[in-house]
Amino acid sequence: MRNILLTIEYDGTNFSGWQRQPNARTVQGEIEAALTKLIGREILIDGTSRTDAGVHANGQQASFALEDSGIPTDRIAKALNDILAFDKLEGIGDIKILNAKEMPEGFHARYSAKGKRYIYRIYNASEKSPFRRSQFYQIAESLDLDAMKKAAAFIIGTHDFKSFETSGSTVHESTVRTIYKLDISKSQLDSKLIEISIEGDGFLYNMVRIIVGTLVEVGLHKKTPAEIERIINAKDRSQAGHTAPPQGLYLDEVFY
Amino acid sequence: MRNILLTIEYDGTNFSGWQRQPNARTVQGEIEAALTKLIGREILIDGTSRTDAGVHANGQQASFALEDSGIPTDRIAKALNDILAFDKLEGIGDIKILNAKEMPEGFHARYSAKGKRYIYRIYNASEKSPFRRSQFYQIAESLDLDAMKKAAAFIIGTHDFKSFETSGSTVHESTVRTIYKLDISKSQLDSKLIEISIEGDGFLYNMVRIIVGTLVEVGLHKKTPAEIERIINAKDRSQAGHTAPPQGLYLDEVFY
């Protein structure tokens, strides 16, 4: 019995999110169907993060148990990409299996994760473009990055992030999380592209998108950086900013 | 009676091409539906180029006659974009009307066109990405740009381009066309991005994509630059290279 971990890149535009659903195209569903075809019996996988519809991944992780099977671990990625039609001239797919590796017994893509990094991409140009609609949050008004960086400094650290969770979410034991890093920078390739990189030990539902929406409101001078402290202390979703749209969000890396 | 010319940008990914079709989502069909809603009676438009499924436009043109109507010409673009849902936070659309202007009587978007420029975008990186699948032709093997530029020099000028037309196309009076410019360059923003810009007085069916496919084969050293002359003289589609896929092609500008 092998315990296999897949690293997966996907463009979430045409998926109803990660999680398997009847009658909907999902990333988990597509990969399970491909694995089932490859192995010849039903294979179910556990992903690290149940990304929402429209959310992307550069490095989603998913693990599964593989009983005796002829295929060597290092051939799994290519075989899956062939089934997923990733590498076809006319139809490069929207899921790419970056690699498959064998992990120790007891390893689990979600439960073993120590943290994650998300990247959120904003295209800050006066003219919005149809070509950027599915991979960026396009904002026409100029964003004040210095103000956003000041606001970000209040978010870094261990806090109760209840204000940054979509209300009505499942009840948790705790809404305390630790944000290790929150960097905001312009892309070296294109100064209109703003990347927000955020690392933490865990994230509440929509937490990254609400943090980004709040930072954007600071960047637009609708909120001040200092208000972030008050927003955190309020433990009230209505005090934070809007939920930034899904298409700017990328699950970048999972830490074990 | 006003004669209105629209300039239109679109991401062709989710369209069955430009041309109106029953039961298929097309660019012409979407714009006509929006115009009909805006004006309150059926409006049909004539586009300059019937782009295929998956082909994009930075500057498609389309004209239509507008009988007495309350809306000023300079308000048409914004009103159409509102109906087309271009500028919505969660759902920026895939068609953007860049502007509308009034043209002299007798002007026609297609018949008055003196020439066109297409741009073809190749992403030449060893790792293909799901995120570039719908807006680039992704080629993993390194392309020899110098060889491609030498080949391009044979294409510039007035030639019978029968070898560069999809066979079985409609019979024309002539398959002679003039290519004024054919530039091949790396993007200053990203050296992996190769842009082929091609201007001519007219283009046969799939002509740009077959020229690009042939240039790519030169870039991969499957053909030599000097073979282009022989391919043109053969007037035989089977002598030219493959048809490059639609997703790399952009109708960039129409000249009047």
Side-chain angles (χ1 to χ4, degrees):
Chain A
M1 179 78 95
R2 281 177 284 169
N3 187 5
I4 307 287
L5 178 68
L6 301 176
T7 304
I8 308 156
E9 184 183 14
Y10 52 85
D11 177 337
T13 308
N14 297 324
F15 293 103
S16 302
W18 166 266
Q19 195 166 22
R20 178 195 322 126
Q21 291 175 49
N23 308 320
R25 184 170 184 259
T26 69
V27 184
Q28 182 183 28
E30 294 290 300
I31 296 172
E32 288 180 344
L35 266 171
T36 298
K37 188 169 175 185
L38 177 66
I39 305 299
R41 57 178 178 273
E42 187 178 52
I43 304 279
L44 301 180
I45 64 178
D46 289 305
T48 301
S49 176
R50 277 164 287 186
T51 56
D52 278 324
V55 173
H56 315 291
N58 301 318
Q60 169 76 285
Q61 303 282 357
S63 58
F64 63 96
L66 184 58
E67 287 180 61
D68 251 10
S69 165
I71 189 162
T73 302
D74 62 6
R75 299 260 180 90
I76 291 175
K78 188 184 178 318
L80 284 177
N81 285 332
D82 285 347
I83 296 170
L84 292 164
F86 174 71
D87 197 8
K88 296 280 184 286
L89 175 64
E90 291 278 344
I92 290 173
D94 42 8
I95 301 176
K96 181 178 186 179
I97 309 296
L98 297 175
N99 73 62
K101 60 179 177 177
E102 200 170 337
M103 301 301 283
E105 199 186 344
F107 174 90
H108 185 282
R110 184 159 75 252
Y111 303 132
S112 305
K114 300 243 184 309
K116 281 178 275 191
R117 178 174 55 242
Y118 285 92
I119 288 180
Y120 196 95
R121 297 205 159 98
I122 294 172
Y123 207 76
N124 192 205
S126 56
E127 286 294 326
K128 297 185 184 183
S129 163
F131 295 108
R132 299 210 165 80
R133 76 190 185 289
S134 61
Q135 293 171 11
F136 300 91
Y137 180 9
Q138 298 192 73
I139 298 177
E141 301 77 29
S142 183
L143 291 171
D144 177 347
L145 251 63
D146 287 334
M148 291 169 72
K149 286 175 186 176
K150 282 179 196 155
F154 290 100
I155 292 170
I156 295 168
T158 303
H159 305 286
D160 186 330
F161 281 100
K162 194 164 167 35
S163 294
F164 297 88
E165 177 183 45
T166 292
S167 48
S169 307
T170 328
V171 177
H172 309 276
E173 293 183 20
S174 164
T175 46
V176 174
R177 296 291 184 276
T178 300
I179 298 299
Y180 303 121
K181 276 182 85 169
L182 207 178
D183 291 334
I184 303 173
S185 62
K186 289 189 177 181
S187 163
Q188 293 184 328
L189 290 181
D190 185 346
S191 64
K192 293 171 186 157
L193 169 56
I194 296 167
E195 294 199 332
I196 300 177
S197 172
I198 180 163
E199 292 181 20
D201 64 350
F203 295 88
L204 305 170
Y205 186 53
N206 279 343
M207 180 169 149
V208 177
R209 290 168 54 190
I210 298 169
I211 288 175
V212 169
T214 306
L215 292 175
V216 162
E217 293 181 20
V218 171
L220 296 172
H221 298 150
K222 293 177 182 172
K223 287 183 162 53
T224 65
E227 275 180 82
I228 301 294
E229 199 167 12
R230 183 187 56 72
I231 292 168
I232 293 173
N233 291 335
K235 296 175 196 168
D236 172 3
R237 170 68 188 90
S238 72
Q239 299 299 304
H242 67 283
T243 304
Q247 70 269 13
L249 184 61
Y250 297 71
L251 171 58
D252 196 53
E253 195 175 339
V254 180
F255 306 115
Y256 293 107
Chain B
M1 178 82 93
R2 280 176 284 170
N3 188 5
I4 307 286
L5 177 67
L6 301 176
T7 304
I8 309 155
E9 184 183 15
Y10 52 84
D11 177 337
T13 308
N14 297 325
F15 293 104
S16 301
W18 167 265
Q19 194 165 22
R20 177 195 323 126
Q21 291 175 50
N23 309 318
R25 184 171 185 259
T26 69
V27 184
Q28 183 183 26
E30 294 291 301
I31 296 172
E32 288 180 343
L35 267 171
T36 297
K37 188 169 175 186
L38 176 65
I39 306 298
R41 56 178 177 270
E42 187 177 53
I43 304 278
L44 301 180
I45 63 177
D46 289 305
T48 302
S49 175
R50 277 163 287 188
T51 56
D52 279 324
V55 174
H56 314 292
N58 301 319
Q60 169 76 284
Q61 304 281 356
S63 57
F64 63 96
L66 184 58
E67 287 180 61
D68 252 10
S69 165
I71 189 161
T73 302
D74 62 4
R75 299 260 179 92
I76 291 176
K78 189 185 178 318
L80 284 177
N81 286 332
D82 285 346
I83 296 172
L84 292 163
F86 174 71
D87 198 9
K88 295 278 184 290
L89 176 66
E90 291 278 344
I92 290 173
D94 41 10
I95 299 176
K96 181 179 186 178
I97 309 297
L98 298 176
N99 71 64
K101 60 178 177 179
E102 200 170 336
M103 302 300 284
E105 199 187 342
F107 175 90
H108 184 283
R110 185 160 74 253
Y111 304 131
S112 305
K114 299 244 183 309
K116 281 178 276 190
R117 178 173 56 240
Y118 285 92
I119 288 179
Y120 197 96
R121 297 205 159 98
I122 295 172
Y123 208 77
N124 192 206
S126 56
E127 286 293 326
K128 296 183 186 183
S129 161
F131 295 108
R132 299 209 166 80
R133 76 189 187 291
S134 61
Q135 294 172 12
F136 301 92
Y137 180 10
Q138 297 193 71
I139 299 177
E141 302 77 28
S142 182
L143 290 171
D144 178 345
L145 251 64
D146 288 333
M148 292 169 72
K149 288 175 186 176
K150 282 179 195 155
F154 290 99
I155 291 170
I156 294 168
T158 302
H159 305 286
D160 185 332
F161 281 101
K162 194 165 167 35
S163 293
F164 296 88
E165 177 182 44
T166 292
S167 48
S169 307
T170 327
V171 177
H172 308 275
E173 293 184 17
S174 165
T175 46
V176 174
R177 295 290 184 276
T178 299
I179 298 299
Y180 303 121
K181 276 182 86 170
L182 208 179
D183 291 334
I184 304 173
S185 62
K186 289 189 178 179
S187 162
Q188 293 184 328
L189 289 180
D190 184 346
S191 65
K192 291 171 185 157
L193 169 55
I194 295 167
E195 294 199 332
I196 300 177
S197 172
I198 180 163
E199 291 181 19
D201 63 350
F203 295 89
L204 305 170
Y205 186 53
N206 278 342
M207 181 167 149
V208 178
R209 291 168 55 189
I210 298 169
I211 288 175
V212 169
T214 306
L215 291 176
V216 162
E217 292 181 22
V218 171
L220 297 171
H221 298 149
K222 291 177 182 171
K223 287 183 163 50
T224 64
E227 276 180 82
I228 300 295
E229 200 167 12
R230 184 187 56 69
I231 291 168
I232 293 173
N233 291 334
K235 298 174 195 167
D236 173 2
R237 170 69 188 90
S238 72
Q239 299 299 303
H242 66 283
T243 304
Q247 70 269 13
L249 185 60
Y250 297 71
L251 171 57
D252 196 51
E253 195 175 339
V254 180
F255 306 114
Y256 292 108

